[in-house]
Coordinates of all heavy atoms in Angstrom, one line a residue:
I1 N 0.8 -1.2 0.0 CA 0.0 0.0 0.0 C 0.9 1.3 0.0 O 0.6 2.2 -0.8 CB -0.9 0.0 1.2 CG1 -2.0 -1.1 1.1 CG2 -1.6 1.4 1.4 CD1 -2.9 -1.3 2.3
T2 N 1.9 1.2 0.8 CA 2.8 2.4 0.9 C 3.5 2.5 -0.5 O 3.7 3.7 -1.0 CB 3.9 2.1 2.0 OG1 3.2 1.9 3.2 CG2 4.8 3.3 2.1
G3 N 3.9 1.4 -1.1 CA 4.5 1.5 -2.4 C 3.6 2.1 -3.5 O 4.1 2.9 -4.3
V4 N 2.4 1.7 -3.5 CA 1.4 2.2 -4.4 C 1.2 3.7 -4.2 O 1.3 4.5 -5.2 CB 0.0 1.5 -4.3 CG1 -1.1 2.2 -5.0 CG2 0.1 0.1 -4.8
L5 N 1.1 4.1 -3.0 CA 0.9 5.6 -2.7 C 2.1 6.4 -3.1 O 2.0 7.5 -3.6 CB 0.6 5.8 -1.2 CG -0.8 5.2 -0.8 CD1 -1.0 5.4 0.7 CD2 -1.9 5.9 -1.5
L6 N 3.3 5.8 -2.8 CA 4.5 6.5 -3.2 C 4.7 6.6 -4.7 O 5.1 7.7 -5.2 CB 5.8 5.8 -2.6 CG 6.1 6.1 -1.2 CD1 7.2 5.2 -0.7 CD2 6.4 7.5 -0.9
Q7 N 4.3 5.6 -5.4 CA 4.4 5.7 -6.9 C 3.4 6.7 -7.5 O 3.7 7.4 -8.4 CB 4.1 4.3 -7.5 CG 5.1 3.2 -7.1 CD 6.5 3.6 -7.3 OE1 6.9 4.2 -8.3 NE2 7.3 3.4 -6.2
I8 N 2.2 6.8 -6.9 CA 1.3 7.8 -7.3 C 1.9 9.2 -7.1 O 1.8 10.1 -7.9 CB -0.1 7.7 -6.6 CG1 -0.8 6.4 -7.1 CG2 -1.0 8.9 -6.8 CD1 -2.0 6.0 -6.3
Y9 N 2.4 9.4 -5.9 CA 3.0 10.7 -5.5 C 4.2 11.0 -6.5 O 4.3 12.2 -7.0 CB 3.5 10.7 -4.1 CG 4.4 11.9 -3.8 CD1 3.9 13.1 -3.6 CD2 5.8 11.7 -3.7 CE1 4.7 14.2 -3.3 CE2 6.6 12.8 -3.4 CZ 6.0 14.0 -3.2 OH 6.8 15.1 -2.9
L10 N 5.0 10.1 -6.8 CA 6.2 10.3 -7.7 C 5.7 10.6 -9.1 O 6.3 11.5 -9.7 CB 7.1 9.1 -7.7 CG 7.9 8.9 -6.4 CD1 8.6 7.5 -6.5 CD2 8.9 10.0 -6.2
Y11 N 4.7 10.0 -9.5 CA 4.2 10.2 -10.9 C 3.6 11.7 -11.0 O 3.9 12.4 -11.9 CB 3.1 9.2 -11.3 CG 2.6 9.3 -12.7 CD1 3.4 8.8 -13.7 CD2 1.5 10.0 -13.1 CE1 3.1 8.9 -15.0 CE2 1.1 10.1 -14.4 CZ 1.9 9.5 -15.4 OH 1.5 9.7 -16.7
I12 N 2.9 12.1 -10.0 CA 2.3 13.4 -10.0 C 3.5 14.4 -9.9 O 3.5 15.5 -10.6 CB 1.3 13.6 -8.8 CG1 0.1 12.8 -9.1 CG2 1.0 15.1 -8.6 CD1 -0.9 12.7 -7.9
N13 N 4.5 14.1 -9.0 CA 5.7 15.0 -8.9 C 6.4 15.1 -10.2 O 6.9 16.2 -10.6 CB 6.6 14.4 -7.8 CG 7.7 15.4 -7.4 OD1 7.6 16.6 -7.8 ND2 8.7 14.9 -6.7
L14 N 6.5 14.0 -11.0 CA 7.2 14.1 -12.3 C 6.4 14.9 -13.3 O 6.9 15.6 -14.2 CB 7.5 12.7 -12.8 CG 8.7 12.0 -12.2 CD1 8.8 10.6 -12.8 CD2 9.9 12.8 -12.5
K15 N 5.1 14.8 -13.2 CA 4.2 15.6 -14.1 C 4.5 17.1 -13.8 O 4.6 17.9 -14.8 CB 2.7 15.3 -13.9 CG 2.3 14.0 -14.5 CD 2.3 14.2 -16.0 CE 1.6 13.0 -16.7 NZ 1.7 13.1 -18.1
V16 N 4.5 17.5 -12.6 CA 4.7 18.9 -12.2 C 6.2 19.3 -12.6 O 6.4 20.4 -13.1 CB 4.5 19.1 -10.7 CG1 5.0 20.5 -10.2 CG2 3.1 18.9 -10.3
S17 N 7.1 18.4 -12.4 CA 8.5 18.7 -12.8 C 8.6 18.9 -14.3 O 9.3 19.7 -14.7 CB 9.3 17.5 -12.3 OG 10.7 17.8 -12.6
N18 N 7.9 18.1 -15.0 CA 7.9 18.2 -16.5 C 7.3 19.6 -16.9 O 7.9 20.2 -17.8 CB 7.1 17.1 -17.1 CG 7.2 17.1 -18.6 OD1 8.2 17.4 -19.2 ND2 6.1 16.7 -19.3
K19 N 6.3 20.0 -16.2 CA 5.7 21.3 -16.5 C 6.6 22.4 -16.3 O 6.8 23.3 -17.1 CB 4.4 21.5 -15.7 CG 3.7 22.8 -15.9 CD 3.1 22.8 -17.3 CE 2.3 24.1 -17.5 NZ 2.0 24.3 -18.9
Y20 N 7.3 22.4 -15.1 CA 8.1 23.6 -14.7 C 9.5 23.5 -15.3 O 10.1 24.5 -15.6 CB 8.1 23.7 -13.2 CG 6.8 24.2 -12.7 CD1 5.9 23.4 -12.0 CD2 6.5 25.6 -12.9 CE1 4.7 23.9 -11.6 CE2 5.3 26.1 -12.4 CZ 4.4 25.2 -11.8 OH 3.2 25.7 -11.3
E21 N 10.1 22.3 -15.3 CA 11.5 22.2 -15.7 C 11.6 22.1 -17.2 O 12.7 22.5 -17.7 CB 12.1 20.9 -15.1 CG 12.4 21.1 -13.6 CD 13.1 19.9 -13.1 OE1 13.9 19.2 -13.8 OE2 13.0 19.6 -11.9
V22 N 10.6 21.7 -17.9 CA 10.7 21.5 -19.4 C 9.9 22.6 -20.1 O 10.5 23.4 -20.9 CB 10.3 20.1 -19.8 CG1 10.3 20.0 -21.3 CG2 11.2 19.1 -19.2
D23 N 8.6 22.6 -19.9 CA 7.8 23.5 -20.6 C 8.1 25.0 -20.4 O 8.3 25.8 -21.4 CB 6.3 23.3 -20.3 CG 5.8 21.9 -20.8 OD1 6.5 21.3 -21.6 OD2 4.7 21.5 -20.4
L24 N 8.2 25.4 -19.1 CA 8.5 26.8 -18.9 C 9.9 27.2 -19.2 O 10.1 28.3 -19.7 CB 8.2 27.1 -17.4 CG 6.8 27.0 -17.0 CD1 6.6 27.3 -15.5 CD2 5.9 27.9 -17.8
M25 N 10.9 26.3 -19.0 CA 12.3 26.6 -19.4 C 12.4 26.7 -20.9 O 13.1 27.5 -21.5 CB 13.2 25.5 -18.9 CG 13.5 25.7 -17.4 SD 14.3 27.3 -17.0 CE 15.8 27.1 -17.8
E26 N 11.6 25.8 -21.6 CA 11.7 25.9 -23.1 C 11.1 27.2 -23.6 O 11.7 27.9 -24.5 CB 10.8 24.7 -23.7 CG 11.1 24.4 -25.1 CD 10.4 23.1 -25.5 OE1 9.2 22.9 -25.0 OE2 11.0 22.4 -26.3
T27 N 10.0 27.7 -23.0 CA 9.5 29.0 -23.4 C 10.4 30.1 -23.0 O 10.6 31.0 -23.8 CB 8.1 29.2 -22.6 OG1 7.3 28.1 -22.9 CG2 7.5 30.5 -23.0
H28 N 11.1 30.0 -21.9 CA 12.0 31.0 -21.5 C 13.2 31.1 -22.4 O 13.7 32.2 -22.8 CB 12.5 30.8 -20.1 CG 13.6 31.7 -19.6 ND1 13.4 33.0 -19.3 CD2 14.9 31.5 -19.4 CE1 14.5 33.6 -19.0 NE2 15.5 32.7 -19.0
V29 N 13.7 30.0 -22.9 CA 14.8 29.9 -23.8 C 14.5 30.5 -25.1 O 15.2 31.3 -25.7 CB 15.4 28.5 -23.9 CG1 16.4 28.4 -25.1 CG2 16.1 28.1 -22.6
I30 N 13.3 30.2 -25.6 CA 12.8 30.7 -26.9 C 12.6 32.2 -26.9 O 13.0 32.9 -27.8 CB 11.5 30.0 -27.3 CG1 11.9 28.5 -27.6 CG2 10.9 30.6 -28.5 CD1 10.6 27.6 -27.9
V31 N 12.1 32.7 -25.8 CA 11.8 34.1 -25.7 C 13.0 35.0 -25.4 O 13.1 36.1 -25.8 CB 10.7 34.3 -24.6 CG1 10.5 35.8 -24.3 CG2 9.4 33.7 -25.0
S32 N 14.0 34.4 -24.7 CA 15.2 35.1 -24.2 C 16.0 35.6 -25.4 O 16.0 35.1 -26.5 CB 16.0 34.3 -23.3 OG 16.6 33.2 -24.0
K33 N 16.8 36.7 -25.1 CA 17.6 37.3 -26.2 C 19.0 36.8 -26.0 O 19.9 37.6 -25.7 CB 17.5 38.8 -26.1 CG 16.1 39.3 -26.3 CD 16.0 40.8 -26.2 CE 14.6 41.3 -26.4 NZ 14.5 42.7 -26.4
T34 N 19.3 35.6 -26.3 CA 20.6 35.0 -26.2 C 21.0 34.6 -27.6 O 20.2 34.6 -28.5 CB 20.7 33.8 -25.3 OG1 19.8 32.8 -25.7 CG2 20.4 34.2 -23.8
S35 N 22.3 34.2 -27.8 CA 22.7 33.8 -29.1 C 22.1 32.5 -29.5 O 21.6 31.7 -28.7 CB 24.2 33.7 -29.1 OG 24.7 32.7 -28.3
A36 N 22.1 32.2 -30.8 CA 21.5 31.0 -31.4 C 22.2 29.8 -30.8 O 21.6 28.7 -30.6 CB 21.6 31.1 -32.9

């Protein structure tokens, strides 16, 4: 039961991590004024 609950927590944590670490950083890099 503990394992199941931890896996659910980890999956949700990775979804949030994907949103903030990938999607927002990708947008920031595209919008930023740095070299190609």
Side-chain angles (χ1 to χ4, degrees):
I1 289 171
T2 306
V4 167
L5 293 175
L6 281 174
Q7 298 310 315
I8 291 170
Y9 169 75
L10 287 173
Y11 187 78
I12 292 170
N13 191 14
L14 280 176
K15 284 289 190 184
V16 171
S17 185
N18 187 34
K19 179 67 177 172
Y20 287 105
E21 289 185 27
V22 175
D23 292 344
L24 293 178
M25 283 301 291
E26 196 171 39
T27 304
H28 175 69
V29 169
I30 292 171
V31 173
S32 68
K33 296 179 181 180
T34 57
S35 67

